[in-house]
């Protein structure tokens, strides 16, 4: 069994390069005086490593961020890890500060929380969220960071990108008072959607998953729970987040006539089969995609507004139910390999960096 508490040069098929201080960077520390940091790279599908990154001094409208925590997105990041990004979607799937190209070598990730060490006075010393890959320190435009409210712990703040996706989903779904809604798939996004739905007056939300242990998480989020065979029927709408064809087929089967499935899963290069010859037509059912890359038409909000809202909502301690494990940054290559193999079960696994406040 993989022991994530120990560092190894090769573990689970993933190479971890640990450099010495003389090489100009420290795997778990802040940027050194030579202007370098350490980043996680996917060298090729299934094989990750830590690499030195040279940092340029921040310009007048830039910030130097020292990372405190980052989070691993089990869905998208593990799809990238296995090399599952289709060729025709590689441009669309680029992360804001991605370096390299799919399938690799590529530096990918987007759940990072750190403290601003250099930059505009108003930001210096503030804890911020940024859609940046896993890296001990980085320089980005000041406009790319969002201040974390004082009442949001920085470990919980890594969920901002996930809650942002859930906000976009509710803007797409527009649930009405008294609606019966099922959320199929109790992963990070599904759980965040369930929490938001549970706070809409009169909405009856059920979180559906094949893992009965997710019942405890559902209760913490204020939702009901059901395994697939016990999921409620005649739902006004269903939000699908499981990333599986079987989950999407189940979601269609839970709808009332003229109901709609809001599809948040992204399947990469996987083909999905659906039974469209029966109740789909007679029941006038619908499947509609929701994707965080675009704010729904009619919503007069910017992406900055949406991110700031996500961070404000994270003052809610119920979201701690999504934080199910943590490891040191130096162990990240082995952690991602263990998450990908299923050896390490988690909703959101967070990564600790040295000198965490």
């Amino acid at each position: 069994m993989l022991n994530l508490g120990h560092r190894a040069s090769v573990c689970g098929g993933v190479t971890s390069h640990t450099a010495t201080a003389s090489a100009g960077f420290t795997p778990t520390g802040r940027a050194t005086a030579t202007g370098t940091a350490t980043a996680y790279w996917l060298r090729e599908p299934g094989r990750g490593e830590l690499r030195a990154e040279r940092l340029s001094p921040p310009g007048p409208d830039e910030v130097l961020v020292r990372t405190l925590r980052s989070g691993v997105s089990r869905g998208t990041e593990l799809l990238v890890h296995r090399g599952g990004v289709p060729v025709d979607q590689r441009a669309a799937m680029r992360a804001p500060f991605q370096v390299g190209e799919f399938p690799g070598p590529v530096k990918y990730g987007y759940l990072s929380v750190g403290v601003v060490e250099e930059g505009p006075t108003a930001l210096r010393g503030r804890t911020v969220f940024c859609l940046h890959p896993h890296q001990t320190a980085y320089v980005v435009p000041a406009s790319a960071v969002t201040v974390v409210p004082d009442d949001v712990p920085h470990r919980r703040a890594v969920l901002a990108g996930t809650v942002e996706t859930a906000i976009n989903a509710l803007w797409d779904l527009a649930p009405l008072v008294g609606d019966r809604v099922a959320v199929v798939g109790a992963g990070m996004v599904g759980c965040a959607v369930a929490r938001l739905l549970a706070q809409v007056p009169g909405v009856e939300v059920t979180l559906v998953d094949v893992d009965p242990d997710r019942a405890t998480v559902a209760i913490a989020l204020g939702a009901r729970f059901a395994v697939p065979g016990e999921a409620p029927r005649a739902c006004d709408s269903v939000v699908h987040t499981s990333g599986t064809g079987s989950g999407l087929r189940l979601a269609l089967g839970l709808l009332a006539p003229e109901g709609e499935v809001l599809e948040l899963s992204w399947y990469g290069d996987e083909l999905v089969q659906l039974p469209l010859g029966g109740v789909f037509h007679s029941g006038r059912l619908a499947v509609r995609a929701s994707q965080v890359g675009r704010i729904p038409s009619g919503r007069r909000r910017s992406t900055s507004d949406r991110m700031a809202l996500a961070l404000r909502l994270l003052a809610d301690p119920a979201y701690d139910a999504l934080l199910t494990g943590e490891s040191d940054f130096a162990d990240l290559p082995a952690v991602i390999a263990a998450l990908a193999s299923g050896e390490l079960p988690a909703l959101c696994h967070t990564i600790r960096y040295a000198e965490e406040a």
Side-chain angles (χ1 to χ4, degrees), residues 129-257:
F129 177 87
C130 185
L131 295 166
H132 198 280
H134 308 279
Q135 187 165 316
T136 57
Y138 46 86
V139 174
V140 294
S143 59
V145 302
T146 304
V147 173
V148 176
D150 292 339
D151 56 354
V152 178
H154 55 251
R155 180 170 181 252
R156 193 189 303 155
V158 303
L159 295 170
T162 303
V163 174
E164 182 189 28
T165 300
I167 290 169
N168 217 62
L170 261 70
W171 286 349
D172 278 322
L173 188 67
L176 299 176
V177 173
D179 274 1
R180 296 182 301 274
V181 185
V183 179
V184 176
M188 287 173 62
V189 172
C191 285
V193 169
R195 180 56 182 166
L196 293 184
L197 284 169
Q199 295 174 300
V200 178
V203 168
E204 181 183 299
V205 55
T206 303
L207 192 57
V208 182
D209 199 90
V210 295
D211 183 358
D213 290 340
R214 294 290 162 88
T216 303
V217 177
I219 292 170
L221 298 172
R224 301 179 182 186
F225 178 80
V227 293
E230 300 172 0
R233 263 56 182 177
C235 293
D236 298 292
S237 57
V238 178
V239 180
H240 180 239
T241 67
S242 81
T244 66
S246 59
L248 181 53
R249 291 188 288 274
L250 172 66
L252 280 171
L254 301 182
L255 288 173

Side-chain angles (χ1 to χ4, degrees), residues 21-42:
S22 62
F25 72 103
T26 55
T28 58
R30 68 173 69 199
T32 68
T34 58
T36 57
T38 314
Y40 173 77
W41 281 73
L42 180 68

Side-chain angles (χ1 to χ4, degrees), residues 34-335:
T34 58
T36 57
T38 314
Y40 173 77
W41 281 73
L42 180 68
R43 185 172 66 187
E44 61 188 16
R47 300 182 67 85
E49 63 187 16
L50 301 181
R51 294 185 179 183
E53 296 281 329
R54 187 163 299 280
L55 301 178
S56 300
D61 298 317
E62 294 182 317
V63 291
L64 169 63
V65 178
R66 173 172 56 87
T67 309
L68 301 173
R69 287 268 179 166
S70 62
V72 180
S73 171
R74 283 184 60 95
T76 306
E77 284 196 63
L78 296 189
L79 189 146
V80 170
H81 177 79
R82 70 171 176 81
V85 181
V87 173
D88 64 350
Q89 291 298 304
R90 289 177 180 176
M93 285 304 300
R94 289 190 66 87
F97 294 100
Q98 174 180 324
V99 180
E101 303 296 334
F102 302 120
V106 63
K107 182 171 69 174
Y108 190 86
Y110 47 84
L111 301 174
S112 180
V113 174
V115 61
V116 175
E117 295 206 323
E118 296 182 34
T121 303
L123 289 174
R124 203 170 304 153
R126 302 298 300 273
T127 301
V128 296
F129 177 87
C130 185
L131 295 166
H132 198 280
H134 308 279
Q135 187 165 316
T136 57
Y138 46 86
V139 174
V140 294
S143 59
V145 302
T146 304
V147 173
V148 176
D150 292 339
D151 56 354
V152 178
H154 55 251
R155 180 170 181 252
R156 193 189 303 155
V158 303
L159 295 170
T162 303
V163 174
E164 182 189 28
T165 300
I167 290 169
N168 217 62
L170 261 70
W171 286 349
D172 278 322
L173 188 67
L176 299 176
V177 173
D179 274 1
R180 296 182 301 274
V181 185
V183 179
V184 176
M188 287 173 62
V189 172
C191 285
V193 169
R195 180 56 182 166
L196 293 184
L197 284 169
Q199 295 174 300
V200 178
V203 168
E204 181 183 299
V205 55
T206 303
L207 192 57
V208 182
D209 199 90
V210 295
D211 183 358
D213 290 340
R214 294 290 162 88
T216 303
V217 177
I219 292 170
L221 298 172
R224 301 179 182 186
F225 178 80
V227 293
E230 300 172 0
R233 263 56 182 177
C235 293
D236 298 292
S237 57
V238 178
V239 180
H240 180 239
T241 67
S242 81
T244 66
S246 59
L248 181 53
R249 291 188 288 274
L250 172 66
L252 280 171
L254 301 182
L255 288 173
E258 303 204 16
E260 178 181 81
V261 171
L262 188 70
E263 175 61 276
L264 272 69
S265 300
W266 189 66
Y267 299 91
D269 56 3
E270 180 184 347
L271 296 178
V272 176
Q273 291 186 332
L274 292 179
L276 302 181
V279 72
F280 180 79
H281 279 281
S282 63
R284 294 171 56 87
L285 306 182
V287 178
R288 183 161 58 102
S290 177
Q291 211 281 332
V292 71
R294 179 178 300 176
I295 291 178
S297 59
R299 300 297 306 186
R300 291 180 290 276
R301 301 290 187 276
S302 68
T303 54
S304 297
D305 293 335
R306 188 178 60 187
M307 180 59 75
L309 174 59
L311 283 162
R312 292 198 303 273
L313 291 172
L314 281 168
D316 179 1
Y319 287 102
D320 286 340
L322 276 65
L323 304 172
T324 52
E326 56 185 40
S327 299
D328 291 332
F329 174 71
D331 297 318
L332 184 54
V335 166

